Amino acid sequence: MNKAERTKQFIIEKAAPIINRKGMAGTSISDIMEATQMAKGGIYGNFESKEEICALSLDYLLERIDTTLNHRLADHTACKDKLFELLEFYKSQATAENAFGCPMLNFGVEADDTNPEIKQQISKAIAATQARMSKLVKKGIETGEFKKGFDAETFSIKAFCMIEGAMWATRMTGNSKQVRVVTDLLKKEITDHLK
Amino acid sequence: MNKAERTKQFIIEKAAPIINRKGMAGTSISDIMEATQMAKGGIYGNFESKEEICALSLDYLLERIDTTLNHRLADHTACKDKLFELLEFYKSQATAENAFGCPMLNFGVEADDTNPEIKQQISKAIAATQARMSKLVKKGIETGEFKKGFDAETFSIKAFCMIEGAMWATRMTGNSKQVRVVTDLLKKEITDHLK
DNA sequence: CACTGTATAGACCGATCGGTCTATTATTTT
DNA sequence: AAAATAATAGACCGATCGGTCTATACAGTG
């Protein structure tokens, strides 16, 4: 990584959490200047536009979640344990002090009706997230861990929607009950499908 | 309603859908000027600030959903039918051409971490929405329509999170499957709890 | 119809927006 | 170390932001 690439990465790492928190329209270049302690020319020497910074920030946030999740799931062998770990991860994200909501939801809600490119990024991320869960269920069936009646696709859609909705509701109401009820229900459903 | 009140209402009715679509930060006064065909002085003669317009727009959107839902539910007597109608309403909102996502979600995501007043409005709306479902389940148990084991609070939390998540996911992916799967699952759960 | 008070238009304000450009400073390469 | 190249600072740009103010137009009342 040469200087330019390192600087680019540095700016994205500083900008991404701010954009996730304040939104794309709500974040100004001066916010990013302040966070990076760089002048405007320094920023624009590395990016074409604010839009590009937003898109790359979203990529960065999504990738970070993906790798974190990959590492955590690798600690377990049983599909049930992997699914449980996944649920715990999202639950912790909803209540964590330093987390400011799911980037998919945050960027997606703003991009809807205004930014087709970002919307496309989100659409892919949703598919990938649901596919991860679906694969875990399917693999669990293959290995004989889960009953054959466990519908992978239905479960992954349901679980995804419930988790996203619950993380948001918990943040809004300041009440962790929402996410707790949801993760408990999903855990029970997984357990019920164990052989 | 005198002139001032009528004008105020008129502005909110024009502004609310725009703000719901483009966001609070993403909507400018000039957008509202264009939609209302009024000059800046005309707008600011009726409101103190853009913030006030946003807050009142949110109130308007929430109330409109509330009254629409009240009317629709009044068409049915059985709690099961009321719950089904409620699910159908949300489903139609997710796929409707003229709807631009749930105002609770749209405003809430943006207000999180930046606008405590709006966040408070959303928090109350979430509680009211869940309470509506919870009451329908409880009433159904009282009237002997539902089995006693139907947990009203758990169901309302789960259903709410699933619906919000699914409406959003359907809008993002452009695939109505998300909301279809979710409403079907919830309908099945309701049916399963019929005596 | 005239009078009076309210409501609106639109010029105007300073601040800030995203973005550009050049002089200067770092970093590489020789 | 010197020369060549890449990267940054910050003044600057026009456009637009939210918001104010006053002259004018309108509505409601006698």
Side-chain angles (χ1 to χ4, degrees):
Chain A
M1 254 212 292
N2 64 19
K3 184 93 203 304
E5 279 166 340
R6 265 186 289 125
T7 307
K8 220 172 160 176
Q9 181 69 7
F10 167 76
I11 295 169
I12 290 296
E13 279 171 18
K14 292 288 182 185
I18 299 172
I19 300 172
N20 191 41
R21 205 168 112 201
K22 300 178 60 170
M24 297 182 284
T27 302
S28 63
I29 300 297
S30 57
D31 287 331
I32 299 170
M33 286 164 63
E34 196 187 334
T36 55
Q37 292 284 29
M38 287 174 71
K40 196 170 274 195
I43 306 285
Y44 274 97
N46 291 282
F47 302 97
E48 280 211 335
S49 63
K50 187 186 161 185
E51 276 223 352
E52 192 193 352
I53 299 176
C54 289
L56 292 175
S57 290
L58 174 57
D59 278 336
Y60 166 74
L61 292 168
L62 293 176
E63 260 170 50
R64 206 176 51 166
I65 289 173
D66 191 59
T67 57
T68 305
L69 220 32
N70 283 341
H71 279 121
R72 289 226 204 169
L73 299 197
D75 291 344
H76 302 87
T77 47
C79 291
K80 177 224 159 196
D81 292 335
K82 283 178 193 281
L83 285 168
F84 270 46
E85 180 75 42
L86 187 143
L87 291 176
E88 282 303 321
F89 170 76
Y90 286 121
K91 188 161 136 188
S92 70
Q93 289 294 303
T95 49
E97 202 62 45
N98 285 6
F100 294 99
C102 175
M104 278 191 278
L105 196 72
N106 289 344
F107 281 73
V109 163
E110 188 175 358
D112 192 17
D113 302 309
T114 56
N115 194 325
E117 291 87 7
I118 296 275
K119 200 173 167 180
Q120 188 55 30
Q121 283 179 264
I122 303 291
S123 184
K124 280 184 189 169
I126 290 176
T129 307
Q130 291 183 340
R132 166 184 264 132
M133 282 191 280
S134 183
K135 276 178 197 164
L136 283 173
V137 172
K138 279 179 187 163
K139 200 184 171 193
I141 295 172
E142 278 174 29
T143 60
E145 194 180 338
F146 293 134
K147 295 173 188 166
K148 292 208 168 164
F150 201 172
D151 186 335
E153 198 180 10
T154 303
F155 176 79
S156 64
I157 289 176
K158 176 211 293 197
F160 176 79
C161 293
M162 271 172 77
I163 291 167
E164 287 292 335
M167 290 202 300
W168 166 72
T170 280
R171 292 195 60 77
M172 285 299 113
T173 60
N175 186 346
S176 62
K177 182 172 190 173
Q178 310 264 359
V179 81
R180 216 174 49 237
V181 165
V182 158
T183 49
D184 287 350
L185 280 169
L186 290 170
K187 281 186 186 174
K188 186 173 185 308
E189 183 165 348
I190 293 163
T191 309
D192 285 347
H193 281 93
L194 283 173
K195 264 190 181 165
Chain B
M1 252 211 294
N2 63 21
K3 183 92 204 301
E5 280 166 340
R6 267 186 288 124
T7 306
K8 219 172 160 175
Q9 181 69 7
F10 167 76
I11 295 169
I12 291 295
E13 279 171 17
K14 292 288 182 185
I18 300 172
I19 301 172
N20 190 42
R21 206 168 113 202
K22 301 177 58 169
M24 297 183 284
T27 302
S28 63
I29 299 297
S30 56
D31 288 330
I32 299 169
M33 288 164 61
E34 197 187 333
T36 55
Q37 292 284 31
M38 287 174 71
K40 197 169 272 194
I43 307 285
Y44 274 98
N46 292 283
F47 302 98
E48 281 211 335
S49 64
K50 186 186 163 184
E51 276 222 352
E52 192 194 353
I53 299 176
C54 289
L56 292 175
S57 290
L58 175 57
D59 278 336
Y60 166 74
L61 293 168
L62 293 176
E63 259 171 49
R64 208 176 51 164
I65 290 172
D66 191 61
T67 57
T68 304
L69 219 33
N70 283 341
H71 280 118
R72 289 226 202 168
L73 299 197
D75 292 344
H76 303 87
T77 47
C79 290
K80 177 224 161 197
D81 292 334
K82 283 178 192 278
L83 284 167
F84 269 46
E85 180 76 41
L86 186 142
L87 291 176
E88 282 303 322
F89 170 76
Y90 286 121
K91 188 162 136 188
S92 70
Q93 289 294 305
T95 50
E97 202 62 45
N98 285 6
F100 295 100
C102 175
M104 278 191 278
L105 196 71
N106 289 344
F107 281 74
V109 163
E110 188 175 357
D112 192 19
D113 303 310
T114 56
N115 193 325
E117 290 88 5
I118 296 275
K119 199 172 166 179
Q120 187 57 29
Q121 285 179 262
I122 303 290
S123 184
K124 280 184 189 170
I126 290 176
T129 307
Q130 291 182 340
R132 164 183 266 131
M133 283 191 280
S134 183
K135 276 178 196 165
L136 283 174
V137 172
K138 278 179 187 161
K139 201 186 170 193
I141 295 173
E142 278 174 28
T143 61
E145 195 179 337
F146 293 135
K147 295 174 188 165
K148 292 207 170 166
F150 201 173
D151 186 334
E153 199 181 10
T154 302
F155 176 79
S156 64
I157 289 176
K158 176 212 291 195
F160 176 79
C161 293
M162 270 171 80
I163 292 167
E164 287 292 336
M167 290 201 300
W168 166 74
T170 279
R171 294 194 59 77
M172 285 300 112
T173 60
N175 187 347
S176 63
K177 183 172 190 173
Q178 309 266 355
V179 80
R180 216 172 50 236
V181 165
V182 159
T183 49
D184 287 351
L185 280 169
L186 290 170
K187 280 185 185 176
K188 187 171 186 312
E189 182 164 351
I190 293 164
T191 309
D192 286 346
H193 281 92
L194 283 173
K195 261 189 183 165

